[in-house]
PDB file of all heavy atoms in Angstrom:
ATOM      1  N   MET A  12     -14.953  35.320  53.617  1.00  0.00           N
ATOM      2  CA  MET A  12     -15.984  36.122  54.294  1.00  0.00           C
ATOM      3  C   MET A  12     -15.744  36.097  55.807  1.00  0.00           C
ATOM      4  O   MET A  12     -15.589  35.050  56.393  1.00  0.00           O
ATOM      5  CB  MET A  12     -17.365  35.564  53.990  1.00  0.00           C
ATOM      6  CG  MET A  12     -18.431  36.474  54.509  1.00  0.00           C
ATOM      7  SD  MET A  12     -20.092  36.171  53.891  1.00  0.00           S
ATOM      8  CE  MET A  12     -20.304  34.444  53.845  1.00  0.00           C
ATOM      9  N   ARG A  23     -20.534  54.524  61.697  1.00  0.00           N
ATOM     10  CA  ARG A  23     -21.571  54.179  60.727  1.00  0.00           C
ATOM     11  C   ARG A  23     -22.934  54.087  61.396  1.00  0.00           C
ATOM     12  O   ARG A  23     -23.945  54.515  60.848  1.00  0.00           O
ATOM     13  CB  ARG A  23     -21.244  52.837  60.047  1.00  0.00           C
ATOM     14  CG  ARG A  23     -19.979  52.854  59.208  1.00  0.00           C
ATOM     15  CD  ARG A  23     -20.141  53.629  57.916  1.00  0.00           C
ATOM     16  NE  ARG A  23     -21.101  53.041  56.994  1.00  0.00           N
ATOM     17  CZ  ARG A  23     -20.785  52.184  56.040  1.00  0.00           C
ATOM     18  NH1 ARG A  23     -19.545  51.803  55.899  1.00  0.00           N
ATOM     19  NH2 ARG A  23     -21.704  51.725  55.219  1.00  0.00           N
ATOM     20  N   ARG A  31     -32.104  57.762  60.039  1.00  0.00           N
ATOM     21  CA  ARG A  31     -33.401  57.268  60.479  1.00  0.00           C
ATOM     22  C   ARG A  31     -34.298  58.437  60.932  1.00  0.00           C
ATOM     23  O   ARG A  31     -35.468  58.523  60.568  1.00  0.00           O
ATOM     24  CB  ARG A  31     -33.190  56.268  61.617  1.00  0.00           C
ATOM     25  CG  ARG A  31     -34.440  55.659  62.200  1.00  0.00           C
ATOM     26  CD  ARG A  31     -34.735  56.276  63.546  1.00  0.00           C
ATOM     27  NE  ARG A  31     -36.023  55.839  64.076  1.00  0.00           N
ATOM     28  CZ  ARG A  31     -36.825  56.635  64.749  1.00  0.00           C
ATOM     29  NH1 ARG A  31     -36.506  57.900  64.957  1.00  0.00           N
ATOM     30  NH2 ARG A  31     -37.952  56.180  65.221  1.00  0.00           N
ATOM     31  N   ARG A  38     -41.326  62.283  56.627  1.00  0.00           N
ATOM     32  CA  ARG A  38     -42.670  61.757  56.467  1.00  0.00           C
ATOM     33  C   ARG A  38     -43.720  62.775  56.922  1.00  0.00           C
ATOM     34  O   ARG A  38     -44.823  62.816  56.405  1.00  0.00           O
ATOM     35  CB  ARG A  38     -42.788  60.455  57.260  1.00  0.00           C
ATOM     36  CG  ARG A  38     -44.012  59.686  56.967  1.00  0.00           C
ATOM     37  CD  ARG A  38     -43.868  58.261  57.422  1.00  0.00           C
ATOM     38  NE  ARG A  38     -42.861  57.544  56.665  1.00  0.00           N
ATOM     39  CZ  ARG A  38     -42.095  56.578  57.145  1.00  0.00           C
ATOM     40  NH1 ARG A  38     -42.193  56.234  58.397  1.00  0.00           N
ATOM     41  NH2 ARG A  38     -41.218  55.964  56.387  1.00  0.00           N
ATOM     42  N   MET A 110     -42.720  58.194  73.785  1.00  0.00           N
ATOM     43  CA  MET A 110     -43.370  57.064  73.132  1.00  0.00           C
ATOM     44  C   MET A 110     -42.401  55.896  72.963  1.00  0.00           C
ATOM     45  O   MET A 110     -42.749  54.744  73.185  1.00  0.00           O
ATOM     46  CB  MET A 110     -43.925  57.470  71.763  1.00  0.00           C
ATOM     47  CG  MET A 110     -45.082  58.448  71.817  1.00  0.00           C
ATOM     48  SD  MET A 110     -46.304  58.036  73.080  1.00  0.00           S
ATOM     49  CE  MET A 110     -46.918  56.495  72.415  1.00  0.00           C
ATOM     50  N   GLU A 119     -35.474  49.986  71.138  1.00  0.00           N
ATOM     51  CA  GLU A 119     -34.577  48.842  71.308  1.00  0.00           C
ATOM     52  C   GLU A 119     -33.642  48.631  70.123  1.00  0.00           C
ATOM     53  O   GLU A 119     -32.486  48.268  70.295  1.00  0.00           O
ATOM     54  CB  GLU A 119     -35.396  47.576  71.538  1.00  0.00           C
ATOM     55  CG  GLU A 119     -34.537  46.421  71.991  1.00  0.00           C
ATOM     56  CD  GLU A 119     -35.343  45.140  72.117  1.00  0.00           C
ATOM     57  OE1 GLU A 119     -35.947  44.937  73.178  1.00  0.00           O
ATOM     58  OE2 GLU A 119     -35.394  44.372  71.140  1.00  0.00           O
TER      59      GLU A 119
ATOM     60  N   ASP B  28     -15.641  30.798  60.459  1.00  0.00           N
ATOM     61  CA  ASP B  28     -14.478  31.646  60.197  1.00  0.00           C
ATOM     62  C   ASP B  28     -14.120  32.477  61.412  1.00  0.00           C
ATOM     63  O   ASP B  28     -12.957  32.632  61.755  1.00  0.00           O
ATOM     64  CB  ASP B  28     -14.763  32.604  59.031  1.00  0.00           C
ATOM     65  CG  ASP B  28     -14.644  31.887  57.708  1.00  0.00           C
ATOM     66  OD1 ASP B  28     -14.373  30.672  57.736  1.00  0.00           O
ATOM     67  OD2 ASP B  28     -14.814  32.538  56.672  1.00  0.00           O
ATOM     68  N   SER B 126     -36.549  39.917  70.915  1.00  0.00           N
ATOM     69  CA  SER B 126     -37.034  40.072  72.285  1.00  0.00           C
ATOM     70  C   SER B 126     -38.432  39.505  72.417  1.00  0.00           C
ATOM     71  O   SER B 126     -39.119  39.258  71.438  1.00  0.00           O
ATOM     72  CB  SER B 126     -37.077  41.544  72.670  1.00  0.00           C
ATOM     73  OG  SER B 126     -35.829  42.115  72.467  1.00  0.00           O
ATOM     74  N   ARG B 133     -41.630  51.899  65.868  1.00  0.00           N
ATOM     75  CA  ARG B 133     -43.008  52.248  65.499  1.00  0.00           C
ATOM     76  C   ARG B 133     -43.107  53.291  64.395  1.00  0.00           C
ATOM     77  O   ARG B 133     -44.141  53.431  63.760  1.00  0.00           O
ATOM     78  CB  ARG B 133     -43.730  52.826  66.722  1.00  0.00           C
ATOM     79  CG  ARG B 133     -44.267  51.795  67.668  1.00  0.00           C
ATOM     80  CD  ARG B 133     -45.024  52.492  68.773  1.00  0.00           C
ATOM     81  NE  ARG B 133     -44.109  52.864  69.843  1.00  0.00           N
ATOM     82  CZ  ARG B 133     -44.174  52.348  71.073  1.00  0.00           C
ATOM     83  NH1 ARG B 133     -45.117  51.500  71.366  1.00  0.00           N
ATOM     84  NH2 ARG B 133     -43.309  52.701  71.991  1.00  0.00           N
ATOM     85  N   ASP B 134     -42.051  54.086  64.242  1.00  0.00           N
ATOM     86  CA  ASP B 134     -42.117  55.186  63.278  1.00  0.00           C
ATOM     87  C   ASP B 134     -41.642  54.776  61.891  1.00  0.00           C
ATOM     88  O   ASP B 134     -41.614  55.608  60.992  1.00  0.00           O
ATOM     89  CB  ASP B 134     -41.271  56.364  63.780  1.00  0.00           C
ATOM     90  CG  ASP B 134     -41.801  56.892  65.093  1.00  0.00           C
ATOM     91  OD1 ASP B 134     -43.035  57.004  65.215  1.00  0.00           O
ATOM     92  OD2 ASP B 134     -40.996  57.166  65.989  1.00  0.00           O
ATOM     93  N   GLU B 139     -38.548  49.375  56.264  1.00  0.00           N
ATOM     94  CA  GLU B 139     -37.573  50.326  56.809  1.00  0.00           C
ATOM     95  C   GLU B 139     -36.961  49.815  58.104  1.00  0.00           C
ATOM     96  O   GLU B 139     -35.785  50.062  58.396  1.00  0.00           O
ATOM     97  CB  GLU B 139     -38.236  51.681  57.061  1.00  0.00           C
ATOM     98  CG  GLU B 139     -38.475  52.468  55.796  1.00  0.00           C
ATOM     99  CD  GLU B 139     -39.305  53.715  56.054  1.00  0.00           C
ATOM    100  OE1 GLU B 139     -40.080  53.741  57.036  1.00  0.00           O
ATOM    101  OE2 GLU B 139     -39.204  54.662  55.267  1.00  0.00           O
TER     102      GLU B 139
END
Side-chain angles (χ1 to χ4, degrees):
Chain A
M12 188 166 41
R23 296 287 295 268
R31 180 255 173 217
R38 191 162 294 148
M110 292 316 294
E119 191 184 275
Chain B
D28 282 1
S126 305
R133 278 184 273 245
D134 298 318
E139 284 172 334

